[in-house]
Amino acid sequence: MWGKIASLFLSGPFNRIFASVDHYVSNDTKRQDIRVNAINRFAETAAEERADARRYRVFWFIWCLFSGSVGFWFFAITIDTVFDFSWSVSDYPPSVKPYVDTIVASIFGSGGLVATAQALSSAIRGRR
């Protein structure tokens, strides 16, 4: 009997408090879902824009010019280091350096991995 009387007085305020907490959590979850959807849409749009840019020759021409200079720079540093020339090959400026690192990693890193995988697979098959 005392339990029913206590629940009669306390159920209203507690129900309102728990409903408020549930509503707050639901709103926070909805906000996070909206944020995640916006980030996903931005990433998809950026990927579509990059894919569209790759369809044009101008993109590949500029990419070849920039990656060619990076390749020449990397070649100069390698030759200077290996043969101990007295060249003083300077580094790229800090504003361009992240792009240079990405190009070097994509050209030489992935190319080296592909060449290594091909050499290993041909050696395993016994073709070499």
Side-chain angles (χ1 to χ4, degrees):
M1 180 166 133
W2 288 103
K4 285 191 176 192
I5 293 173
S7 69
L8 181 67
F9 286 113
L10 297 177
S11 66
F14 282 128
N15 285 341
R16 286 192 299 260
I17 290 170
F18 289 135
S20 295
V21 169
D22 287 341
H23 183 68
Y24 175 77
V25 169
S26 175
N27 281 343
D28 193 39
T29 304
K30 288 179 186 176
R31 278 190 216 109
Q32 289 176 357
D33 287 343
I34 291 170
R35 187 177 305 133
V36 166
N37 288 336
I39 290 170
N40 286 341
R41 184 63 189 141
F42 175 76
E44 290 171 1
T45 304
E48 289 171 3
E49 288 175 356
R50 284 192 299 271
D52 287 341
R54 288 187 204 118
R55 292 183 188 154
Y56 299 104
R57 290 183 183 178
V58 173
F59 170 81
W60 291 109
F61 179 73
I62 292 172
W63 189 87
C64 287
L65 282 176
F66 194 69
S67 62
S69 69
V70 169
F72 181 75
W73 169 78
F74 191 74
F75 175 75
I77 287 179
T78 304
I79 294 298
D80 183 32
T81 304
V82 170
F83 295 112
D84 199 23
F85 292 136
S86 61
W87 301 345
S88 60
V89 181
S90 61
D91 201 4
Y92 272 96
S95 61
V96 182
K97 188 69 170 135
Y99 302 110
V100 170
D101 292 340
T102 302
I103 288 174
V104 168
S106 67
I107 291 174
F108 298 108
S110 62
L113 289 175
V114 168
T116 303
Q118 288 175 345
L120 286 175
S121 66
S122 63
I124 289 172
R125 281 191 246 158
R127 293 177 131 185
R128 201 147 179 137

mmCIF file of all heavy atoms in Angstrom, residues 17-56:
data_model
loop_
_atom_site.group_PDB
_atom_site.id
_atom_site.type_symbol
_atom_site.label_atom_id
_atom_site.label_comp_id
_atom_site.label_asym_id
_atom_site.label_seq_id
_atom_site.Cartn_x
_atom_site.Cartn_y
_atom_site.Cartn_z
ATOM 1 N N ILE A 17 10.968 13.617 -15.752
ATOM 2 C CA ILE A 17 12.434 13.706 -15.784
ATOM 3 C C ILE A 17 12.991 12.685 -16.774
ATOM 4 O O ILE A 17 13.825 13.014 -17.629
ATOM 5 C CB ILE A 17 13.030 13.491 -14.372
ATOM 6 C CG1 ILE A 17 12.718 14.677 -13.488
ATOM 7 C CG2 ILE A 17 14.541 13.266 -14.461
ATOM 8 C CD1 ILE A 17 13.056 14.466 -12.025
ATOM 9 N N PHE A 18 12.526 11.438 -16.697
ATOM 10 C CA PHE A 18 13.018 10.408 -17.610
ATOM 11 C C PHE A 18 12.607 10.687 -19.057
ATOM 12 O O PHE A 18 13.362 10.418 -19.992
ATOM 13 C CB PHE A 18 12.551 9.020 -17.172
ATOM 14 C CG PHE A 18 13.230 8.530 -15.921
ATOM 15 C CD1 PHE A 18 12.494 7.943 -14.905
ATOM 16 C CD2 PHE A 18 14.599 8.658 -15.771
ATOM 17 C CE1 PHE A 18 13.126 7.501 -13.758
ATOM 18 C CE2 PHE A 18 15.236 8.211 -14.624
ATOM 19 C CZ PHE A 18 14.493 7.640 -13.620
ATOM 20 N N ALA A 19 11.420 11.246 -19.255
ATOM 21 C CA ALA A 19 10.990 11.601 -20.607
ATOM 22 C C ALA A 19 11.876 12.714 -21.165
ATOM 23 O O ALA A 19 12.227 12.709 -22.353
ATOM 24 C CB ALA A 19 9.531 12.044 -20.600
ATOM 25 N N SER A 20 12.262 13.673 -20.300
ATOM 26 C CA SER A 20 13.153 14.751 -20.745
ATOM 27 C C SER A 20 14.530 14.207 -21.121
ATOM 28 O O SER A 20 15.117 14.613 -22.132
ATOM 29 C CB SER A 20 13.300 15.810 -19.646
ATOM 30 O OG SER A 20 12.077 16.438 -19.407
ATOM 31 N N VAL A 21 15.032 13.290 -20.303
ATOM 32 C CA VAL A 21 16.336 12.687 -20.599
ATOM 33 C C VAL A 21 16.263 11.894 -21.903
ATOM 34 O O VAL A 21 17.156 12.002 -22.759
ATOM 35 C CB VAL A 21 16.802 11.799 -19.424
ATOM 36 C CG1 VAL A 21 18.012 10.961 -19.824
ATOM 37 C CG2 VAL A 21 17.123 12.650 -18.216
ATOM 38 N N ASP A 22 15.205 11.109 -22.088
ATOM 39 C CA ASP A 22 15.047 10.347 -23.328
ATOM 40 C C ASP A 22 14.947 11.271 -24.539
ATOM 41 O O ASP A 22 15.526 11.002 -25.594
ATOM 42 C CB ASP A 22 13.805 9.457 -23.261
ATOM 43 C CG ASP A 22 13.980 8.271 -22.339
ATOM 44 O OD1 ASP A 22 15.157 7.935 -22.035
ATOM 45 O OD2 ASP A 22 12.963 7.682 -21.924
ATOM 46 N N HIS A 23 14.213 12.373 -24.375
ATOM 47 C CA HIS A 23 14.077 13.332 -25.473
ATOM 48 C C HIS A 23 15.428 13.971 -25.797
ATOM 49 O O HIS A 23 15.765 14.141 -26.977
ATOM 50 C CB HIS A 23 13.050 14.403 -25.092
ATOM 51 C CG HIS A 23 12.782 15.398 -26.161
ATOM 52 N ND1 HIS A 23 12.145 15.064 -27.334
ATOM 53 C CD2 HIS A 23 13.066 16.719 -26.242
ATOM 54 C CE1 HIS A 23 12.062 16.137 -28.097
ATOM 55 N NE2 HIS A 23 12.608 17.163 -27.447
ATOM 56 N N TYR A 24 16.218 14.317 -24.780
ATOM 57 C CA TYR A 24 17.543 14.907 -24.998
ATOM 58 C C TYR A 24 18.462 13.926 -25.721
ATOM 59 O O TYR A 24 19.146 14.289 -26.677
ATOM 60 C CB TYR A 24 18.164 15.319 -23.666
ATOM 61 C CG TYR A 24 19.580 15.812 -23.797
ATOM 62 C CD1 TYR A 24 19.841 17.092 -24.269
ATOM 63 C CD2 TYR A 24 20.657 14.997 -23.488
ATOM 64 C CE1 TYR A 24 21.131 17.554 -24.415
ATOM 65 C CE2 TYR A 24 21.955 15.438 -23.634
ATOM 66 C CZ TYR A 24 22.191 16.724 -24.092
ATOM 67 O OH TYR A 24 23.475 17.166 -24.242
ATOM 68 N N VAL A 25 18.459 12.673 -25.295
ATOM 69 C CA VAL A 25 19.305 11.663 -25.927
ATOM 70 C C VAL A 25 18.856 11.436 -27.368
ATOM 71 O O VAL A 25 19.682 11.311 -28.276
ATOM 72 C CB VAL A 25 19.276 10.347 -25.113
ATOM 73 C CG1 VAL A 25 19.928 9.214 -25.874
ATOM 74 C CG2 VAL A 25 19.959 10.550 -23.771
ATOM 75 N N SER A 26 17.563 11.414 -27.597
ATOM 76 C CA SER A 26 17.045 11.229 -28.948
ATOM 77 C C SER A 26 17.456 12.396 -29.847
ATOM 78 O O SER A 26 17.867 12.191 -30.989
ATOM 79 C CB SER A 26 15.524 11.113 -28.901
ATOM 80 O OG SER A 26 14.992 11.039 -30.195
ATOM 81 N N ASN A 27 17.369 13.628 -29.330
ATOM 82 C CA ASN A 27 17.784 14.791 -30.120
ATOM 83 C C ASN A 27 19.280 14.763 -30.410
ATOM 84 O O ASN A 27 19.712 15.102 -31.517
ATOM 85 C CB ASN A 27 17.432 16.089 -29.393
ATOM 86 C CG ASN A 27 15.981 16.447 -29.535
ATOM 87 O OD1 ASN A 27 15.282 15.929 -30.398
ATOM 88 N ND2 ASN A 27 15.510 17.337 -28.671
ATOM 89 N N ASP A 28 20.065 14.362 -29.405
ATOM 90 C CA ASP A 28 21.518 14.291 -29.605
ATOM 91 C C ASP A 28 21.861 13.243 -30.651
ATOM 92 O O ASP A 28 22.721 13.457 -31.505
ATOM 93 C CB ASP A 28 22.205 13.975 -28.275
ATOM 94 C CG ASP A 28 23.701 14.185 -28.339
ATOM 95 O OD1 ASP A 28 24.139 15.165 -28.983
ATOM 96 O OD2 ASP A 28 24.435 13.371 -27.753
ATOM 97 N N THR A 29 21.178 12.116 -30.615
ATOM 98 C CA THR A 29 21.404 11.061 -31.605
ATOM 99 C C THR A 29 21.023 11.550 -32.997
ATOM 100 O O THR A 29 21.735 11.291 -33.974
ATOM 101 C CB THR A 29 20.590 9.810 -31.243
ATOM 102 O OG1 THR A 29 20.935 9.399 -29.922
ATOM 103 C CG2 THR A 29 20.848 8.681 -32.215
ATOM 104 N N LYS A 30 19.910 12.263 -33.106
ATOM 105 C CA LYS A 30 19.497 12.812 -34.404
ATOM 106 C C LYS A 30 20.521 13.813 -34.920
ATOM 107 O O LYS A 30 20.833 13.835 -36.108
ATOM 108 C CB LYS A 30 18.124 13.466 -34.293
ATOM 109 C CG LYS A 30 17.001 12.476 -34.148
ATOM 110 C CD LYS A 30 15.667 13.174 -34.017
ATOM 111 C CE LYS A 30 14.570 12.169 -33.736
ATOM 112 N NZ LYS A 30 13.276 12.825 -33.506
ATOM 113 N N ARG A 31 21.056 14.656 -34.030
ATOM 114 C CA ARG A 31 22.083 15.617 -34.443
ATOM 115 C C ARG A 31 23.327 14.913 -34.954
ATOM 116 O O ARG A 31 23.927 15.308 -35.950
ATOM 117 C CB ARG A 31 22.460 16.532 -33.270
ATOM 118 C CG ARG A 31 21.522 17.668 -33.062
ATOM 119 C CD ARG A 31 22.089 18.667 -32.055
ATOM 120 N NE ARG A 31 20.987 19.170 -31.278
ATOM 121 C CZ ARG A 31 20.740 18.897 -30.002
ATOM 122 N NH1 ARG A 31 21.564 18.129 -29.330
ATOM 123 N NH2 ARG A 31 19.706 19.391 -29.392
ATOM 124 N N GLN A 32 23.731 13.857 -34.255
ATOM 125 C CA GLN A 32 24.897 13.099 -34.702
ATOM 126 C C GLN A 32 24.638 12.414 -36.040
ATOM 127 O O GLN A 32 25.522 12.370 -36.896
ATOM 128 C CB GLN A 32 25.299 12.072 -33.646
ATOM 129 C CG GLN A 32 25.906 12.681 -32.412
ATOM 130 C CD GLN A 32 26.210 11.651 -31.341
ATOM 131 O OE1 GLN A 32 25.916 10.475 -31.495
ATOM 132 N NE2 GLN A 32 26.809 12.099 -30.251
ATOM 133 N N ASP A 33 23.435 11.897 -36.235
ATOM 134 C CA ASP A 33 23.097 11.279 -37.518
ATOM 135 C C ASP A 33 23.147 12.306 -38.645
ATOM 136 O O ASP A 33 23.651 12.021 -39.735
ATOM 137 C CB ASP A 33 21.707 10.649 -37.463
ATOM 138 C CG ASP A 33 21.670 9.366 -36.649
ATOM 139 O OD1 ASP A 33 22.754 8.794 -36.402
ATOM 140 O OD2 ASP A 33 20.551 8.953 -36.264
ATOM 141 N N ILE A 34 22.634 13.500 -38.397
ATOM 142 C CA ILE A 34 22.667 14.563 -39.404
ATOM 143 C C ILE A 34 24.109 14.950 -39.709
ATOM 144 O O ILE A 34 24.490 15.124 -40.870
ATOM 145 C CB ILE A 34 21.846 15.781 -38.928
ATOM 146 C CG1 ILE A 34 20.364 15.428 -38.911
ATOM 147 C CG2 ILE A 34 22.113 16.993 -39.806
ATOM 148 C CD1 ILE A 34 19.495 16.465 -38.234
ATOM 149 N N ARG A 35 24.930 15.053 -38.674
ATOM 150 C CA ARG A 35 26.342 15.404 -38.859
ATOM 151 C C ARG A 35 27.063 14.330 -39.682
ATOM 152 O O ARG A 35 27.810 14.637 -40.611
ATOM 153 C CB ARG A 35 27.016 15.572 -37.498
ATOM 154 C CG ARG A 35 28.434 16.087 -37.574
ATOM 155 C CD ARG A 35 29.036 16.301 -36.188
ATOM 156 N NE ARG A 35 28.205 17.178 -35.396
ATOM 157 C CZ ARG A 35 27.830 16.942 -34.126
ATOM 158 N NH1 ARG A 35 28.240 15.851 -33.524
ATOM 159 N NH2 ARG A 35 27.073 17.785 -33.472
ATOM 160 N N VAL A 36 26.824 13.070 -39.364
ATOM 161 C CA VAL A 36 27.466 11.972 -40.092
ATOM 162 C C VAL A 36 27.004 11.956 -41.546
ATOM 163 O O VAL A 36 27.813 11.778 -42.460
ATOM 164 C CB VAL A 36 27.166 10.622 -39.398
ATOM 165 C CG1 VAL A 36 27.510 9.452 -40.295
ATOM 166 C CG2 VAL A 36 27.926 10.528 -38.092
ATOM 167 N N ASN A 37 25.719 12.177 -41.772
ATOM 168 C CA ASN A 37 25.210 12.206 -43.145
ATOM 169 C C ASN A 37 25.819 13.358 -43.935
ATOM 170 O O ASN A 37 26.141 13.210 -45.117
ATOM 171 C CB ASN A 37 23.684 12.307 -43.152
ATOM 172 C CG ASN A 37 23.021 11.021 -42.714
ATOM 173 O OD1 ASN A 37 23.610 9.949 -42.812
ATOM 174 N ND2 ASN A 37 21.798 11.127 -42.209
ATOM 175 N N ALA A 38 25.977 14.521 -43.290
ATOM 176 C CA ALA A 38 26.586 15.669 -43.973
ATOM 177 C C ALA A 38 28.043 15.387 -44.318
ATOM 178 O O ALA A 38 28.502 15.701 -45.425
ATOM 179 C CB ALA A 38 26.475 16.916 -43.101
ATOM 180 N N ILE A 39 28.782 14.774 -43.412
ATOM 181 C CA ILE A 39 30.191 14.452 -43.670
ATOM 182 C C ILE A 39 30.299 13.416 -44.789
ATOM 183 O O ILE A 39 31.142 13.542 -45.681
ATOM 184 C CB ILE A 39 30.874 13.961 -42.372
ATOM 185 C CG1 ILE A 39 31.028 15.117 -41.388
ATOM 186 C CG2 ILE A 39 32.226 13.332 -42.668
ATOM 187 C CD1 ILE A 39 31.468 14.703 -40.014
ATOM 188 N N ASN A 40 29.440 12.409 -44.762
ATOM 189 C CA ASN A 40 29.452 11.396 -45.824
ATOM 190 C C ASN A 40 29.119 12.008 -47.177
ATOM 191 O O ASN A 40 29.749 11.678 -48.185
ATOM 192 C CB ASN A 40 28.475 10.268 -45.515
ATOM 193 C CG ASN A 40 28.988 9.348 -44.430
ATOM 194 O OD1 ASN A 40 30.178 9.315 -44.148
ATOM 195 N ND2 ASN A 40 28.082 8.615 -43.812
ATOM 196 N N ARG A 41 28.153 12.901 -47.206
ATOM 197 C CA ARG A 41 27.781 13.538 -48.474
ATOM 198 C C ARG A 41 28.920 14.414 -48.992
ATOM 199 O O ARG A 41 29.181 14.449 -50.197
ATOM 200 C CB ARG A 41 26.506 14.367 -48.280
ATOM 201 C CG ARG A 41 25.993 14.975 -49.532
ATOM 202 C CD ARG A 41 25.591 13.902 -50.535
ATOM 203 N NE ARG A 41 25.312 14.542 -51.800
ATOM 204 C CZ ARG A 41 25.643 14.056 -52.969
ATOM 205 N NH1 ARG A 41 26.241 12.895 -53.058
ATOM 206 N NH2 ARG A 41 25.379 14.702 -54.063
ATOM 207 N N PHE A 42 29.600 15.116 -48.079
ATOM 208 C CA PHE A 42 30.740 15.940 -48.486
ATOM 209 C C PHE A 42 31.843 15.066 -49.074
ATOM 210 O O PHE A 42 32.426 15.405 -50.109
ATOM 211 C CB PHE A 42 31.282 16.731 -47.291
ATOM 212 C CG PHE A 42 32.517 17.512 -47.603
ATOM 213 C CD1 PHE A 42 32.449 18.689 -48.323
ATOM 214 C CD2 PHE A 42 33.762 17.050 -47.198
ATOM 215 C CE1 PHE A 42 33.591 19.403 -48.629
ATOM 216 C CE2 PHE A 42 34.906 17.752 -47.502
ATOM 217 C CZ PHE A 42 34.820 18.942 -48.217
ATOM 218 N N ALA A 43 32.126 13.937 -48.447
ATOM 219 C CA ALA A 43 33.170 13.035 -48.949
ATOM 220 C C ALA A 43 32.776 12.466 -50.305
ATOM 221 O O ALA A 43 33.618 12.360 -51.206
ATOM 222 C CB ALA A 43 33.417 11.907 -47.946
ATOM 223 N N GLU A 44 31.517 12.100 -50.472
ATOM 224 C CA GLU A 44 31.063 11.586 -51.765
ATOM 225 C C GLU A 44 31.161 12.649 -52.847
ATOM 226 O O GLU A 44 31.579 12.363 -53.975
ATOM 227 C CB GLU A 44 29.622 11.091 -51.649
ATOM 228 C CG GLU A 44 29.460 9.835 -50.830
ATOM 229 C CD GLU A 44 28.006 9.505 -50.561
ATOM 230 O OE1 GLU A 44 27.114 10.255 -51.033
ATOM 231 O OE2 GLU A 44 27.758 8.512 -49.870
ATOM 232 N N THR A 45 30.785 13.881 -52.516
ATOM 233 C CA THR A 45 30.855 14.969 -53.489
ATOM 234 C C THR A 45 32.299 15.253 -53.876
ATOM 235 O O THR A 45 32.610 15.464 -55.061
ATOM 236 C CB THR A 45 30.207 16.242 -52.909
ATOM 237 O OG1 THR A 45 28.873 15.944 -52.523
ATOM 238 C CG2 THR A 45 30.203 17.368 -53.919
ATOM 239 N N ALA A 46 33.195 15.261 -52.903
ATOM 240 C CA ALA A 46 34.610 15.501 -53.197
ATOM 241 C C ALA A 46 35.173 14.389 -54.080
ATOM 242 O O ALA A 46 35.945 14.660 -55.011
ATOM 243 C CB ALA A 46 35.409 15.601 -51.897
ATOM 244 N N ALA A 47 34.796 13.152 -53.817
ATOM 245 C CA ALA A 47 35.264 12.037 -54.648
ATOM 246 C C ALA A 47 34.716 12.146 -56.067
ATOM 247 O O ALA A 47 35.437 11.875 -57.035
ATOM 248 C CB ALA A 47 34.849 10.712 -54.017
ATOM 249 N N GLU A 48 33.463 12.561 -56.205
ATOM 250 C CA GLU A 48 32.883 12.742 -57.540
ATOM 251 C C GLU A 48 33.586 13.863 -58.294
ATOM 252 O O GLU A 48 33.834 13.752 -59.496
ATOM 253 C CB GLU A 48 31.391 13.046 -57.424
ATOM 254 C CG GLU A 48 30.555 11.860 -56.976
ATOM 255 C CD GLU A 48 29.126 12.248 -56.652
ATOM 256 O OE1 GLU A 48 28.768 13.432 -56.833
ATOM 257 O OE2 GLU A 48 28.368 11.362 -56.224
ATOM 258 N N GLU A 49 33.920 14.950 -57.585
ATOM 259 C CA GLU A 49 34.624 16.058 -58.236
ATOM 260 C C GLU A 49 36.014 15.636 -58.707
ATOM 261 O O GLU A 49 36.455 16.015 -59.790
ATOM 262 C CB GLU A 49 34.735 17.254 -57.288
ATOM 263 C CG GLU A 49 33.427 17.967 -57.058
ATOM 264 C CD GLU A 49 33.542 19.052 -56.026
ATOM 265 O OE1 GLU A 49 34.629 19.212 -55.414
ATOM 266 O OE2 GLU A 49 32.547 19.766 -55.810
ATOM 267 N N ARG A 50 36.712 14.847 -57.894
ATOM 268 C CA ARG A 50 38.027 14.351 -58.310
ATOM 269 C C ARG A 50 37.908 13.412 -59.498
ATOM 270 O O ARG A 50 38.723 13.446 -60.423
ATOM 271 C CB ARG A 50 38.728 13.658 -57.142
ATOM 272 C CG ARG A 50 39.298 14.625 -56.126
ATOM 273 C CD ARG A 50 40.222 13.923 -55.156
ATOM 274 N NE ARG A 50 39.559 12.881 -54.395
ATOM 275 C CZ ARG A 50 38.941 13.068 -53.241
ATOM 276 N NH1 ARG A 50 38.899 14.269 -52.712
ATOM 277 N NH2 ARG A 50 38.377 12.067 -52.610
ATOM 278 N N ALA A 51 36.882 12.575 -59.492
ATOM 279 C CA ALA A 51 36.681 11.673 -60.623
ATOM 280 C C ALA A 51 36.345 12.465 -61.885
ATOM 281 O O ALA A 51 36.811 12.115 -62.975
ATOM 282 C CB ALA A 51 35.565 10.683 -60.298
ATOM 283 N N ASP A 52 35.556 13.531 -61.753
ATOM 284 C CA ASP A 52 35.248 14.369 -62.916
ATOM 285 C C ASP A 52 36.490 15.066 -63.431
ATOM 286 O O ASP A 52 36.676 15.209 -64.637
ATOM 287 C CB ASP A 52 34.186 15.417 -62.558
ATOM 288 C CG ASP A 52 32.810 14.808 -62.391
ATOM 289 O OD1 ASP A 52 32.595 13.686 -62.891
ATOM 290 O OD2 ASP A 52 31.950 15.453 -61.764
ATOM 291 N N ALA A 53 37.356 15.509 -62.527
ATOM 292 C CA ALA A 53 38.576 16.216 -62.952
ATOM 293 C C ALA A 53 39.507 15.295 -63.720
ATOM 294 O O ALA A 53 40.206 15.739 -64.631
ATOM 295 C CB ALA A 53 39.296 16.793 -61.737
ATOM 296 N N ARG A 54 39.523 14.020 -63.380
ATOM 297 C CA ARG A 54 40.421 13.078 -64.047
ATOM 298 C C ARG A 54 40.007 12.772 -65.483
ATOM 299 O O ARG A 54 40.753 12.162 -66.221
ATOM 300 C CB ARG A 54 40.499 11.781 -63.251
ATOM 301 C CG ARG A 54 41.257 11.930 -61.980
ATOM 302 C CD ARG A 54 41.460 10.581 -61.308
ATOM 303 N NE ARG A 54 41.658 10.798 -59.906
ATOM 304 C CZ ARG A 54 40.872 10.334 -58.948
ATOM 305 N NH1 ARG A 54 39.848 9.581 -59.250
ATOM 306 N NH2 ARG A 54 41.113 10.599 -57.693
ATOM 307 N N ARG A 55 38.836 13.193 -65.864
ATOM 308 C CA ARG A 55 38.363 12.928 -67.232
ATOM 309 C C ARG A 55 38.981 13.875 -68.254
ATOM 310 O O ARG A 55 38.910 13.613 -69.445
ATOM 311 C CB ARG A 55 36.853 13.063 -67.286
ATOM 312 C CG ARG A 55 36.149 11.997 -66.513
ATOM 313 C CD ARG A 55 34.667 12.122 -66.642
ATOM 314 N NE ARG A 55 34.019 11.191 -65.729
ATOM 315 C CZ ARG A 55 32.829 11.350 -65.239
ATOM 316 N NH1 ARG A 55 32.120 12.402 -65.574
ATOM 317 N NH2 ARG A 55 32.321 10.463 -64.424
ATOM 318 N N TYR A 56 39.568 14.963 -67.798
ATOM 319 C CA TYR A 56 40.086 15.981 -68.711
ATOM 320 C C TYR A 56 41.596 15.844 -68.882
ATOM 321 O O TYR A 56 42.320 15.523 -67.941
ATOM 322 C CB TYR A 56 39.733 17.379 -68.194
ATOM 323 C CG TYR A 56 38.250 17.593 -68.096
ATOM 324 C CD1 TYR A 56 37.614 17.563 -66.863
ATOM 325 C CD2 TYR A 56 37.484 17.789 -69.233
ATOM 326 C CE1 TYR A 56 36.248 17.745 -66.765
ATOM 327 C CE2 TYR A 56 36.119 17.975 -69.147
ATOM 328 C CZ TYR A 56 35.506 17.952 -67.912
ATOM 329 O OH TYR A 56 34.158 18.119 -67.829
#
